[in-house]
Amino acid sequence: MDVEFTSEDQAFRAEARKFIEDNYPKHLIGADRGDLSKEDFLAWHKILAEKGWVAPSWPEEFGGTGWTVTQKYIWNEESAAFGTIPPLPFGIAMLGPVIYTFGNQAQKDWVLPGIKSGETWWCQGYSEPGAGSDLAGLKTRAVRDGDDYIVNGHKIWTTLAQHADWMFCLVRTGAEGKPQAGISFLLIDMKTPGITVRPIITIDGGHEVNEVFLEDVRVPAEHLVGEENKGWTIAKFLLGNERSGIAGVARSKKAIDRLREIARGELEDGAPLLESSDFARRISELEIDLTALEYTELRTLASESKGQGPGPESSILKIKGTEIQQRITELTMEAVGNYASPWVPQLDRGDNYRAIGPDHAEGVSQTYFNTRKTSIYGGSNEIQRNIIAKMVLGL
Amino acid sequence: MDFSFTEEQTLLRNMVQSFVQDNYDFDSRMKIVRSEEGMSREIWGQFAELGLLAAPFSEEMGGLDGGPIDIMVIMEELGRGLVVEPYLPTVVLCGGILSRHASAAQQEANLPGILGGEHIWALAYSEPQSRFNAGDVLTSAKADGEGFVLNGTKAVVAAAPWADKFIVSARISGEQRDRNGIGLFIVDKSASGVSTQDYPTVDGNRASEVTFENVAVSGDALIGDATTGLSILEEALDHGIGAICAESLGHMKSLNDATVEYCKTRKQFGVPIGSFQVLQHRMVDMFMEYEQSVSMTYMVNMKLSEGEEERRKAASGAKVQIGKSGRFVGQEAVQLHGGMGMTEELSVGHYFKRLTVIDTQFGNVDHHLKRFASA
Amino acid sequence: MDLSYSAEDNAFREEVRAFIKEAFTPDIRRECERSKNGYISKDLHITWQKRLYEKGWAAPNWPVEHGGAGFTPTQKFIYTHEMEAAGAPHTIPFGMTMVAPVIMKFGTEEQKAQYLPDILASNVWWCQGYSEPGSGSDLASLQMKAEDKGDHFLCNGSKIWTSMAQHADMIFCLVRTSNEGKRQQGISFLLIDMNTPGVSVAPLITLDGPAKDQQEINQVFFEDVKVPKENLVGNLNEGWTCAKYLLEFERGNPYSGGLHRTLDKLRELAGDIEADGASLLENADFSAKLADLERQVMVMEATELRIFSDVSAGDNIGPGSSSMLKTRGTELQKDVSELAMEAIGQYGLPFVEDTLASTNESDIGMAGVAPITPRYFNVRKTSIYAGSNEIQRNIIAKAVLGL
Ligand SMILES: Cc1cc2nc3c(=O)[nH]c(=O)nc-3n(C[C@H](O)[C@H](O)[C@H](O)COP(=O)(O)OP(=O)(O)OC[C@H]3O[C@@H](n4cnc5c(N)ncnc54)[C@H](O)[C@@H]3O)c2cc1C
Ligand SMILES: Cc1cc2nc3c(=O)[nH]c(=O)nc-3n(C[C@H](O)[C@H](O)[C@H](O)COP(=O)(O)OP(=O)(O)OC[C@H]3O[C@@H](n4cnc5c(N)ncnc54)[C@H](O)[C@@H]3O)c2cc1C
Ligand SMILES: Cc1cc2nc3c(=O)[nH]c(=O)nc-3n(C[C@H](O)[C@H](O)[C@H](O)COP(=O)(O)OP(=O)(O)OC[C@H]3O[C@@H](n4cnc5c(N)ncnc54)[C@H](O)[C@@H]3O)c2cc1C
């Protein structure tokens, strides 16, 4: 047991930090994810791609960095501490591993480079109106017609589909047996005729998710990943990957630092709010819980570096990580007091818009409302608890 | 000891309930919220016609002789409809101050405009630095001959964009956080030197930053005397708490009903999600939070007219309760609706947002727990 | 809507207080204040209940015809509230509030005449034989057998968690008289004399560490116990109806009076405890926690007032309300006992053998601390018994939310 970093690790940390400081686009420092353009989302991604650091988790042969588990951890920490906009997960974290694990050579050759360079923007077409937690209940159908599939159906909650070039999609190709048995994994060009994307506005006022309607969409059969009707294996594999890193410890640390900064600037009866015993106590409780989570993550990391994959214990990381994120955003909103109330969505701000209240109050309530999503998506926290009950406790 | 409503109060509830049902369904509400002005003058006129604006005032003032319980009934029903029209600031806060503390002349000059629906009022008391301490007042009122000159900025003044008149707290004497030396002034929004920066708020309401720059008011703009404005103000805020407690009951009830209904119909894994015991127990906890809030809301509204100490304790106790319950019910309602709970399209998120603002309005849980402890 | 009490109600309150002042004598008070589990010695319990009997107040829930106190709903609330607030002993419920209503509703005239007067006068100590090793929340699965042997039932089996069975003269039992049909349909309600040959009682030792013979719960064994036929209450195989009727009575109690008192005591105690050179009460965190509990008790009281001002004597308050009161009330009891233990810090560690903590010697460190930690452990029971809080939530989900 050892929680010290080696001198190589320290050196790597210094290198990583310097690289970020020197190269991170100035105009994106401190930017709020809520109001980024497509170019903004991709700016840092492209710089990382050039450096060869965009996909640290991939095997080296496909363009990974070859870092140790610890180095990856350090990289995440440094990125979070600086507050970088992370590369979008859909390509790097989700689809990439699916392609290099299940894809054929042709698919590897065209999909992976596009993900790395940022040329191709992917979105995730899993959920449907009738299939959320019960993903296997999905109904979007793909029927074979010569060299093509013809796809009909309706996907929902598709994050940032409005920017997407391609979508990886779960579709029903078979009706026999268990619902899980008739599902396939298909790559669909978003420019294909028959696809309509309709925005869904969320309670924070943002446009992050969409509905995607598919009407007689022709998809070349070569875009099937893996075998027909074996998509569920791939889907589950992907969900596992989606969960690792979901704890977001480093980013929560950063958010607590910011919270503390805000509480230092807010006054209660003339004294900094941070000196209020109630408030200070609640921050401390958060920090302690976060430390517990950090060490839980380090433990799973240690077993991962010994070659064991992330087990169902990673559900703990998802649950605790998202609950902590939600508490931080809630406390941050509380910290700014009355100035949590003003609500001027980006879209409605005219040229002579003046910020209301202190700068640090900007957007805190939007963030609070947006963060409610984290306990719903990526396998809701109820589903995660069910998983722990079944897989860990044997219930 | 009696927790039942009078026949008049029940009639009042039925009337407001059907008015809201008929005229303020969720779509109509969103149209109003998204309109240029952000409220409906027509609805406000109907409030006047129905007598809602006159309900709590005495007969001598032209009112219907109701009290906090009538306000409670009205606010609960307005809460169910997420009504944005400024009943709280105009009738409960400013109307309350005027009816309890203004001189006969001031009442005569101002109350008819409220009862008749001609004037909207806003209470301008919080300041950028004051957080939840209404006695932290930098806005100054300097005596100038018979009158006063006001200077300062008021923060997040609810309904100010719609208001014709303000009641403004300003320091006549003493230091920034002294309890004594605060006066309450009636100020026309159109007075020279008054300017506002208007904006929408999280809950679909509107508010302003209001700046007073050498605003001259006459001596009869002062309500009460030059020293005890803070206790008048605190009393008004406690009445406001009684009212928003009731409003929040409407929200929580709507959320609980919607969530139970959704969980009965939404199917996953081939069964209604309401058949999962984890979700059932969550809804039971939501129900119990609501019931506890009902108890406290009744209690605070019955205690508003008692002595200051009783009133403070009741108000702060109730405010903590609805702060916590509202947050819990709101968050759980979203969670149990899954992705749907995150959408702007469903009313769920809008109730949740109003409840979130209510926790901050007039002071949050931490603030009122401290006040409760010291009362 | 009106929170004020009438002049009659205020006069009644004074009468209750005067009674308490006289009847709640120091010997009883002392044991109440120091008991680990809420029970006091058998003779003092009986002394207290006889005093109530003489005053005519032994049975606030009974109809007047059987000797009930004839309180109005408000009076009943005041009565219970004052008793709780004074910390007076609870009336042992098994006779007065459990078996008696069942006998009144389902018993024969002979049974009423035979049992009710002795219950009212506290001449007979009852205990409740429902739970079994295999049947807790799922009570209907119970197995204790009662075979029809012509003039008597032959009983075999075991009851568990039986409170105060070591003191009991009588036990009322749910027994299985048939294995046909639905499980609920083969259950009967039987009264058994604890002195019958074949009945034996073994103590169960709870977390709070009771002294000898002062245990709260027991296991009761029945080995070929002969019970006269006339001890059957209601019809054969219809005991479940009696059981359900009784369960309603177990829960609709007010909690706020007792909680208020415990918190007042805690506030007093905290004033005497030093932390960082000042009294613990001046510690911002502690006083915030205390204030929040006081606030929650205020909420509880408001809820109780709202619910009880609405029911009249002999009525049930309905499943939703009683389940809610039980759940919230017991949760608060647990929270309060936890804060008390937190307050006394290291003086929570010494273990006191004496269940009644009846001597001051048992207080190590400062006066009044001895029962606090045992109570924290003991009070865990409240969310388990009388229908666990999970079961209460199930009831609300079904009965109120329609899930
Ligand atoms: C902001 C956001 C972004 C998203 N992005 C994407 C995306 O890019 N691509 C994509 O495919 N999907 C995406 N999703 C969808 C997300 O994965 C689903 O919302 C999630 O799977 C839950 O499904 P649902 O919304 O249908 O809720 P439901 O499954 O209907 O759940 C409703 C409630 O019931 C509970 N519940 C359900 N089943 C059980 C059970 N067995 N036991 C206990 N409780 C249960 C849930 O936890 C939840 O509280 C996104 C969602 C959000 C909110
Ligand atoms: C975009 C997206 C991301 C997601 N991310 C994840 C993720 O990271 N991890 C994850 O596990 N899930 C995730 N989900 C949810 C995922 O869809 C479900 O976990 C998946 O459906 C489980 O597979 P299964 O149908 O084989 O069910 P199982 O593996 O058998 O069970 C999954 C869950 O459903 C419950 N369940 C299953 N059948 C029933 C039934 N008949 N009655 C009651 N409850 C039942 C189980 O208790 C368990 O909680 C995600 C969904 C979407 C749309
Ligand atoms: C101090 C004490 C005194 C008692 N006195 C008496 C007495 O005098 N006479 C008498 O007859 N009994 C008495 N009892 C017994 C009491 O009524 C039972 O303990 C109670 O019914 C629970 O049964 P169990 O202990 O078998 O727990 P179980 O029923 O086995 O329950 C274990 C856990 O599972 C939960 N659970 C069970 N079913 C469900 C469900 N459907 N949904 C969700 N959760 C569930 C429970 O809530 C509990 O948390 C006493 C108990 C105690 C602790």
Side-chain angles (χ1 to χ4, degrees):
Chain A
M1 272 209 194
D2 187 5
V3 293
E4 297 296 318
F5 290 103
T6 63
S7 56
E8 293 83 43
D9 290 338
Q10 310 275 20
F12 174 75
R13 184 185 293 281
E15 187 193 350
R17 183 174 301 175
K18 182 157 183 354
F19 179 76
I20 297 172
E21 282 169 1
D22 291 350
N23 295 286
Y24 193 74
K26 298 284 169 285
H27 73 286
L28 292 178
I29 293 177
D32 184 356
R33 267 199 72 168
D35 39 276
L36 294 180
S37 66
K38 185 169 181 177
E39 289 65 39
D40 289 343
F41 267 120
L42 287 170
W44 180 232
H45 181 120
K46 290 188 168 160
I47 293 167
L48 289 174
E50 224 154 276
K51 173 82 177 168
W53 282 5
V54 77
S57 59
W58 292 13
E60 266 182 285
E61 51 171 316
F62 301 113
T65 49
W67 291 340
T68 63
V69 170
T70 311
Q71 284 177 320
K72 284 186 233 167
Y73 181 79
I74 290 173
W75 170 248
N76 282 338
E77 263 197 321
E78 289 302 318
S79 302
F82 194 87
T84 65
I85 296 163
L88 288 162
F90 310 106
I92 301 285
M94 298 181 180
L95 184 62
V98 164
I99 295 295
Y100 62 67
T101 311
F102 299 95
N104 56 34
Q105 195 55 47
Q107 287 166 339
K108 287 176 193 164
D109 289 345
W110 81 263
V111 175
L112 298 180
I115 292 177
K116 279 184 294 182
S117 67
E119 280 305 305
T120 324
W121 182 304
W122 288 89
C123 67
Q124 178 188 28
Y126 272 29
S127 305
E128 297 182 7
S133 301
D134 181 13
L135 185 55
L138 62 92
K139 293 207 171 70
T140 295
R141 293 201 63 82
V143 180
R144 190 66 185 247
D145 180 39
D147 287 343
D148 297 334
Y149 284 103
I150 297 176
V151 183
N152 276 289
H154 180 182
K155 293 288 172 183
I156 194 170
W157 316 122
T158 326
T159 301
L160 298 178
Q162 71 267 39
H163 298 322
D165 306 300
W166 282 75
M167 168 165 72
F168 56 91
C169 207
L170 291 180
V171 294
R172 186 159 297 289
T173 40
E176 256 115 82
K178 288 201 329 177
Q180 287 83 349
I183 292 172
S184 300
F185 194 99
L186 211 53
L187 310 179
I188 303 181
D189 186 340
M190 293 293 280
K191 287 181 288 291
T192 322
I195 296 183
T196 322
V197 176
R198 207 176 82 189
I200 297 175
I201 305 302
T202 42
I203 51 176
D204 52 298
H207 174 196
E208 177 176 335
V209 288
N210 302 272
E211 286 180 279
V212 179
F213 297 90
L214 302 116
E215 234 187 285
D216 292 333
V217 177
R218 248 174 208 285
V219 181
E222 68 202 66
H223 292 326
L224 174 72
V225 180
E227 286 173 50
E228 196 177 85
N229 293 339
K230 293 280 166 61
W232 190 247
T233 320
I234 302 177
K236 287 274 223 185
F237 168 86
L238 187 154
L239 296 182
N241 280 315
E242 189 183 348
R243 251 179 294 148
S244 58
I246 204 152
V249 170
R251 284 182 196 273
S252 288
K253 273 191 190 165
K254 167 103 176 155
I256 290 181
D257 286 345
R258 175 155 170 266
L259 166 58
R260 193 172 271 117
E261 209 41 57
I262 291 176
R264 203 169 280 131
E266 285 286 329
L267 297 181
E268 182 182 65
D269 294 336
L273 182 61
L274 193 59
E275 287 166 23
S276 145
S277 69
D278 292 331
F279 206 83
R281 179 197 165 105
R282 287 164 70 193
I283 296 184
S284 302
E285 282 173 354
L286 260 173
E287 275 193 307
I288 292 165
D289 288 349
L290 186 59
T291 307
L293 180 66
E294 180 179 13
Y295 277 78
T296 309
E297 190 178 35
L298 288 171
R299 274 169 57 211
T300 53
L301 211 67
S303 69
E304 241 178 284
S305 54
K306 292 208 190 83
Q308 296 146 345
E313 293 85 358
S314 59
S315 290
I316 302 176
L317 301 180
K318 157 85 199 314
I319 295 171
K320 290 291 162 194
T322 53
E323 284 175 357
I324 287 172
Q325 288 156 20
Q326 292 179 335
R327 279 164 61 201
I328 295 173
T329 61
E330 183 169 334
L331 205 53
T332 308
M333 180 177 67
E334 263 184 58
V336 304
N338 297 317
Y339 282 114
S341 296
W343 181 273
V344 189
Q346 208 63 28
L347 306 170
D348 300 352
R349 293 177 183 177
D351 293 338
N352 50 6
Y353 170 76
R354 270 183 296 149
I356 300 146
D359 286 347
H360 64 224
E362 179 84 35
V364 296
S365 44
Q366 276 89 344
T367 305
Y368 166 73
F369 289 112
N370 183 271
T371 307
R372 304 314 306 169
K373 72 186 176 193
T374 59
S375 52
I376 296 171
Y377 69 18
S380 75
N381 286 11
E382 288 75 24
I383 293 293
Q384 302 296 347
R385 284 186 167 84
N386 289 350
I387 291 171
I388 296 175
K390 197 163 136 185
M391 308 298 287
V392 183
L393 307 181
L395 290 166
Chain B
M1 180 81 47
D2 179 12
F3 276 78
S4 51
F5 293 97
T6 63
E7 203 173 313
E8 289 81 25
Q9 286 160 352
T10 306
L11 287 173
L12 176 66
R13 180 186 297 281
N14 294 343
M15 177 182 80
V16 184
Q17 203 167 63
S18 48
F19 179 79
V20 169
Q21 269 163 13
D22 298 345
N23 301 282
Y24 223 90
D25 59 50
F26 183 61
D27 286 344
S28 320
R29 189 253 181 195
M30 292 316 289
K31 268 199 205 95
I32 292 172
V33 167
R34 291 185 182 128
S35 68
E36 180 73 29
E37 189 169 29
M39 70 164 280
S40 161
R41 297 277 166 184
E42 195 190 330
I43 296 278
W44 193 248
Q46 285 165 316
F47 279 6
E49 279 164 34
L50 292 172
L52 300 188
L53 304 181
F57 298 100
S58 73
E59 269 171 47
E60 301 96 77
M61 298 175 195
L64 302 175
D65 233 2
I69 304 297
D70 301 79
I71 292 182
M72 179 175 96
V73 166
I74 293 171
M75 288 298 289
E76 188 177 343
E77 296 305 326
L78 297 184
R80 294 216 67 158
L82 275 173
V83 169
V84 295
E85 280 65 26
Y87 194 81
L88 175 73
T90 303
V91 176
V92 181
L93 297 174
C94 294
I97 290 175
L98 291 171
S99 69
R100 286 186 298 269
H101 299 284
S103 67
Q106 285 168 331
Q107 291 182 348
E108 220 163 286
N110 293 300
L111 285 180
I114 291 181
L115 274 69
E118 288 97 40
H119 292 145
I120 287 171
W121 287 63
L123 182 60
Y125 73 98
S126 62
E127 301 193 354
Q129 84 295 341
S130 71
R131 202 169 171 83
F132 305 129
N133 179 357
D136 185 335
V137 179
L138 283 173
T139 299
S140 64
K142 281 218 171 58
D144 181 30
E146 297 284 284
F148 295 87
V149 177
L150 307 188
N151 276 290
T153 299
K154 293 293 175 180
V156 201
V157 181
W162 306 318
D164 306 288
K165 290 177 185 249
F166 296 126
I167 293 181
V168 184
S169 61
R171 187 159 289 291
I172 298 172
S173 64
E175 300 294 316
Q176 182 178 343
R177 281 183 293 279
D178 284 353
R179 283 196 60 85
N180 278 328
I182 295 169
L184 296 181
F185 296 89
I186 300 171
V187 182
D188 273 358
K189 187 168 158 187
S190 58
S192 108
V194 178
S195 61
T196 63
Q197 180 193 4
D198 301 346
Y199 48 83
T201 50
V202 169
D203 52 358
N205 280 287
R206 301 283 168 105
S208 310
E209 303 295 280
V210 185
T211 308
F212 301 89
E213 224 184 305
N214 294 322
V215 178
V217 295
S218 71
D220 21 304
L222 178 66
I223 301 171
D225 61 33
T227 54
T228 58
L230 184 57
S231 51
I232 297 177
L233 181 57
E234 284 179 339
E235 180 194 40
L237 298 179
D238 285 346
H239 278 260
I241 286 174
I244 56 172
C245 283
E247 187 192 349
S248 80
L249 294 185
H251 307 142
M252 286 189 244
K253 178 97 177 93
S254 301
L255 284 175
N256 286 354
D257 289 352
T259 305
V260 168
E261 191 49 39
Y262 188 76
C263 288
K264 280 182 183 167
T265 44
R266 168 73 175 167
K267 281 194 176 164
Q268 289 288 276
F269 305 101
V271 293
I273 56 174
S275 65
F276 301 131
Q277 192 180 49
V278 261
L279 301 191
Q280 290 182 352
H281 284 197
R282 298 266 278 280
M283 286 183 268
V284 168
D285 287 339
M286 291 163 78
F287 162 77
M288 292 199 287
E289 289 295 329
Y290 165 74
E291 285 292 327
Q292 305 276 78
S293 301
V294 172
S295 306
M296 288 303 265
T297 300
Y298 289 3
M299 194 241 356
V300 62
N301 281 295
M302 287 189 271
K303 287 197 170 179
L304 280 176
S305 23
E306 290 188 14
E308 184 177 331
E309 204 181 307
E310 279 274 293
R311 190 198 74 220
R312 284 165 65 98
K313 191 142 192 140
S316 287
K319 187 63 177 41
V320 173
Q321 183 66 37
I322 58 151
K324 288 187 172 179
S325 296
R327 182 181 304 183
F328 178 79
V329 168
Q331 292 178 350
E332 295 294 76
V334 169
Q335 180 70 20
L336 267 52
H337 276 81
M340 286 309 292
M342 287 298 297
T343 62
E344 178 82 358
E345 191 187 323
L346 239 62
S347 62
V348 169
H350 298 267
Y351 285 111
F352 175 39
K353 286 198 258 185
R354 175 67 190 135
L355 282 171
T356 306
V357 169
I358 282 183
D359 180 29
T360 311
Q361 207 168 5
F362 307 137
N364 66 6
V365 167
D366 280 355
H367 172 80
H368 280 287
L369 194 53
K370 270 185 222 154
R371 187 171 179 250
F372 177 87
S374 68
Chain C
M1 288 231 170
D2 181 9
L3 275 180
S4 58
Y5 290 94
S6 66
E8 292 82 25
D9 288 338
N10 283 327
F12 176 74
R13 185 195 306 280
E14 289 315 312
E15 192 186 350
V16 177
R17 287 185 179 168
F19 171 81
I20 292 173
K21 211 164 163 205
E22 201 186 302
F24 191 28
T25 42
D27 50 343
I28 303 179
R29 183 182 296 272
R30 173 162 190 81
E31 284 201 2
C32 283
E33 272 169 12
R34 303 187 56 90
S35 163
K36 287 181 186 176
N37 59 18
Y39 288 96
I40 56 175
S41 350
K42 182 177 183 183
D43 55 332
L44 286 183
H45 263 302
I46 292 174
T47 308
W48 168 253
Q49 289 185 191
K50 284 193 176 289
R51 285 176 189 161
L52 288 175
Y53 171 64
E54 277 148 27
K55 176 78 184 166
W57 287 355
N61 287 313
W62 290 20
V64 187
E65 48 170 314
H66 291 296
F71 294 154
T72 65
T74 307
Q75 281 179 330
K76 214 188 104 187
F77 181 80
I78 292 173
Y79 173 81
T80 325
H81 193 84
E82 289 299 323
M83 287 293 177
E84 288 279 333
H90 298 134
T91 294
I92 302 291
F94 311 110
M96 206 78 75
T97 54
M98 295 184 180
V99 77
V102 171
I103 292 176
M104 286 174 210
K105 175 123 180 142
F106 302 99
T108 60
E109 286 312 312
E110 292 72 37
Q111 287 171 333
K112 288 179 195 166
Q114 182 181 352
Y115 296 113
L116 295 180
D118 279 341
I119 292 175
L120 193 66
S122 292
N123 294 331
V124 173
W125 187 297
W126 285 81
C127 67
Q128 178 188 30
Y130 273 24
S131 306
E132 297 182 9
S135 309
S137 302
D138 182 15
L139 192 56
S141 67
L142 60 91
Q143 299 290 338
M144 176 173 161
K145 236 184 354 192
E147 288 170 89
D148 191 338
K149 294 286 180 188
D151 64 335
H152 68 270
F153 291 105
L154 188 65
C155 296
N156 276 291
S158 153
K159 292 290 175 183
I160 197 169
W161 320 123
T162 325
S163 299
M164 296 289 135
Q166 75 269 34
H167 298 328
D169 307 300
M170 293 290 292
I171 182 169
F172 58 93
C173 281
L174 290 178
V175 292
R176 184 151 301 283
T177 39
S178 162
N179 284 315
E180 260 138 62
K182 269 183 44 178
R183 300 179 310 165
Q184 284 83 351
Q185 281 162 5
I187 293 172
S188 300
F189 196 97
L190 208 55
L191 313 178
I192 303 178
D193 189 330
M194 292 292 280
N195 292 315
T196 324
V199 179
S200 62
V201 176
L204 294 172
I205 304 308
T206 42
L207 290 175
D208 45 301
K212 194 165 177 322
D213 294 332
Q214 293 178 345
Q215 77 271 15
E216 177 169 356
I217 49 181
N218 304 274
Q219 186 161 4
V220 184
F221 297 92
F222 300 85
E223 249 189 274
D224 290 334
V225 176
K226 290 184 181 169
V227 181
K229 273 283 178 71
E230 65 261 27
N231 286 17
L232 176 74
V233 180
N235 295 330
L236 191 70
N237 295 333
E238 287 178 14
W240 192 249
T241 318
C242 306
K244 292 204 53 169
Y245 179 72
L246 189 159
L247 286 180
E248 296 276 304
F249 279 90
E250 251 191 84
R251 289 189 292 270
N253 295 314
Y255 289 81
S256 62
L259 287 164
H260 267 307
R261 184 179 46 85
T262 322
L263 279 176
D264 286 349
K265 292 248 161 198
L266 174 55
R267 180 171 279 281
E268 222 172 84
L269 189 68
D272 293 337
I273 293 173
E274 262 194 43
D276 290 333
S279 118
L280 188 57
L281 270 187
E282 288 159 53
N283 176 298
D285 287 330
F286 183 83
S287 64
K289 286 192 208 173
L290 184 61
D292 194 43
L293 281 174
E294 286 170 342
R295 190 194 59 76
Q296 292 183 56
V297 172
M298 178 188 204
V299 180
M300 191 71 201
E301 184 178 354
T303 304
E304 289 170 359
L305 286 171
R306 187 158 71 85
I307 290 173
F308 288 109
S309 72
D310 226 37
V311 289
S312 37
D315 273 358
N316 284 333
I317 60 176
S321 296
S322 68
S323 293
M324 182 169 68
L325 289 185
K326 200 262 163 169
T327 308
R328 284 301 298 144
T330 54
E331 281 168 1
L332 273 171
Q333 285 175 337
K334 295 202 288 186
D335 291 348
V336 169
S337 73
E338 187 170 340
L339 189 62
M341 187 174 67
E342 247 180 83
I344 60 175
Q346 69 274 33
Y347 291 119
L349 297 182
F351 176 74
V352 192
E353 179 73 40
D354 185 1
T355 302
L356 299 172
S358 52
T359 64
N360 281 342
E361 275 91 82
S362 50
D363 289 329
I364 295 161
M366 61 189 302
V369 297
I372 287 180
T373 306
R375 273 183 195 162
Y376 165 75
F377 290 112
N378 182 270
V379 83
R380 304 289 108 199
K381 71 187 176 190
T382 59
S383 53
I384 298 172
Y385 67 21
S388 75
N389 287 10
E390 289 75 28
I391 296 296
Q392 303 300 342
R393 285 186 166 84
N394 290 350
I395 292 173
I396 297 176
K398 202 169 142 182
V400 182
L401 306 183
L403 287 166

